[in-house]
Amino acid sequence: PINAVLGMNEMILRECDDSDILGYSEKIRSSGNTLLGLINDILDFSKIEAGKLDIIPVDYDLTSVLNDLVSMIQLRAEAKGLTLETRFDGNIPKLLHGDEIRIKQIVTNILTNAVKYTDSGYIDFDVQCINEKDNCRLQITVSDTGRGMKEEQIDNLFTKFNRLERDLDSTIEGTGLGLAITKHLVDMMNGKITVNSKYGNGSTFTVGLNQKI
């Protein structure tokens, strides 16, 4: 139903010339996309708790994945006046074998959080690869100049329904499920996720995933 609402709203955005109505319609699009994200998180976590979330490996084009991720986060970063810096290893194989959709979900959650908790400065998106015979160890690093975290916050970071500074900042949206889902997906792929952060001085998330070449 939400996809239908957003689809009809898209027709209003395309065809309407009234500036007031377009303003209302933009708010519907923004709020609708946020609601869709919340529902998807809840559905994913329900699947995790029921043991029904699967990893489905396919052949995929990493160039396309990176392009989609940059296009998605660039708009959000620019809307907050942030700079997006990218560094991609030129030796990464173009075609890999893994769950493209879940990799996108993992990196999207981390990039979105970086923008969400960064008020000024930049987001650094770095992807490197260590080739070992028929395997590529993808090393994905996202750093920001945001608010950073206290040690006790890092300890609870991957707990479900946990949001940073929820008592201090009611403007931050989300269910608090995104990073819990991310950790579960990384674990399902036999990968590793680490966090380094200093309160007031930004955070760095690093994900390591093995992909077949």
Side-chain angles (χ1 to χ4, degrees):
I2 296 175
N3 283 322
V5 170
L6 291 174
M8 296 307 298
N9 187 62
E10 184 67 27
M11 299 306 297
I12 295 173
L13 287 166
R14 292 181 186 182
E15 298 181 4
C16 182
D17 295 324
D18 187 299
S19 60
D20 287 338
I21 292 176
L22 286 174
Y24 302 148
S25 194
E26 282 288 356
K27 289 182 174 63
I28 292 173
R29 174 159 65 179
S30 176
S31 298
N33 283 328
T34 299
L35 180 58
L36 189 58
L38 298 179
I39 290 173
N40 284 335
D41 279 352
I42 292 168
L43 290 174
D44 275 346
F45 210 84
S46 297
K47 290 178 183 177
I48 288 171
E49 294 194 321
K52 299 295 185 182
L53 191 66
D54 297 321
I55 298 299
I56 305 174
V58 297
D59 292 338
Y60 68 93
D61 183 343
L62 184 64
T63 306
S64 175
V65 171
L66 294 176
N67 183 69
D68 289 348
L69 289 167
V70 169
S71 297
M72 177 276 301
I73 206 63
Q74 183 87 50
L75 295 174
R76 299 189 183 197
E78 289 178 350
K80 290 190 69 174
L82 304 174
T83 301
L84 176 64
E85 299 179 2
T86 59
R87 287 194 305 276
F88 301 145
D89 183 355
N91 294 317
I92 300 178
K94 178 178 171 65
L95 294 177
L96 297 176
H97 185 78
D99 194 326
E100 170 189 8
I101 293 174
R102 295 305 180 185
I103 290 173
K104 275 188 181 180
Q105 185 175 0
I106 288 167
V107 182
T108 295
N109 280 340
I110 296 171
L111 285 170
T112 301
N113 261 10
V115 172
K116 190 186 295 185
Y117 291 102
T118 301
D119 299 316
S120 63
Y122 65 86
I123 308 296
D124 187 88
F125 180 23
D126 182 287
V127 181
Q128 304 296 319
C129 175
I130 301 171
N131 290 338
E132 297 177 353
K133 296 182 179 179
D134 295 332
N135 290 299
C136 166
R137 177 72 174 179
L138 276 181
Q139 194 86 355
I140 303 162
T141 306
V142 176
S143 301
D144 62 62
T145 56
R147 307 174 191 183
M149 290 174 278
K150 300 172 184 176
E151 190 171 337
E152 60 268 24
Q153 290 175 317
I154 297 176
D155 292 340
N156 296 318
L157 193 59
F158 299 111
T159 304
K160 62 183 178 180
F161 301 115
N162 180 59
R163 286 195 297 122
L164 299 180
E165 300 189 82
R166 59 187 178 275
D167 297 328
L168 301 178
D169 193 345
S170 60
T171 65
I172 297 296
E173 299 172 339
T175 56
L177 287 174
L179 287 178
I181 293 170
T182 297
K183 177 68 164 61
H184 191 85
L185 291 174
V186 171
D187 289 345
M188 288 180 72
M189 294 183 191
N190 297 314
K192 184 178 181 181
I193 182 168
T194 59
V195 185
N196 288 304
S197 184
K198 186 175 180 181
Y199 191 64
N201 286 300
S203 303
T204 297
F205 284 75
T206 303
V207 175
L209 295 170
N210 288 324
Q211 301 287 281
K212 290 183 180 179
I213 298 174

